[in-house]
Amino acid sequence: MARVVVDVMLKPEILDPQGQAVQRALPRLGFAGISDVRQGKRFELEVEGPVDDAALARIREAAETFLANTVIEDFTVRVEDQ
């Protein structure tokens, strides 16, 4: 089985209040020098059979229609080395 990872992030122009809250908390917790935080989602999909172009196309379709809200989020799809 192969693992395909779909990372979903808010588009750069979309405000990320959760990321901002984490960014403000980090210095108070002793983690200085971090200038920005953006929070996202990671989906790990276990794929039966080979991960060919057709399988990746189906996963991209799933990401576009179900895993990400493409109005406010971008996504990437990649095969993870195992």
Side-chain angles (χ1 to χ4, degrees):
M1 270 197 208
R3 176 176 294 154
V4 177
V5 176
V6 179
D7 290 310
V8 180
M9 296 293 295
L10 287 171
K11 291 182 178 185
E13 62 271 16
I14 302 297
L15 182 66
D16 183 0
Q18 201 162 6
Q20 289 176 339
V22 170
Q23 189 268 330
R24 286 191 304 271
L26 287 171
R28 292 192 305 260
L29 298 171
F31 300 100
I34 298 172
S35 62
D36 191 32
V37 175
R38 303 284 294 171
Q39 182 172 330
K41 301 177 278 192
R42 173 184 166 115
F43 297 92
E44 296 181 356
L45 308 172
E46 297 292 331
V47 179
E48 296 177 0
V51 180
D52 54 14
D53 289 342
L56 286 173
R58 288 291 291 158
I59 291 168
R60 283 189 189 94
E61 182 182 4
E64 190 169 356
T65 60
F66 181 67
L67 301 178
N69 176 349
T70 57
V71 173
I72 62 169
E73 295 172 320
D74 291 325
F75 66 89
T76 59
V77 176
R78 63 186 165 83
V79 179
E80 188 171 79
D81 294 330
Q82 296 199 24

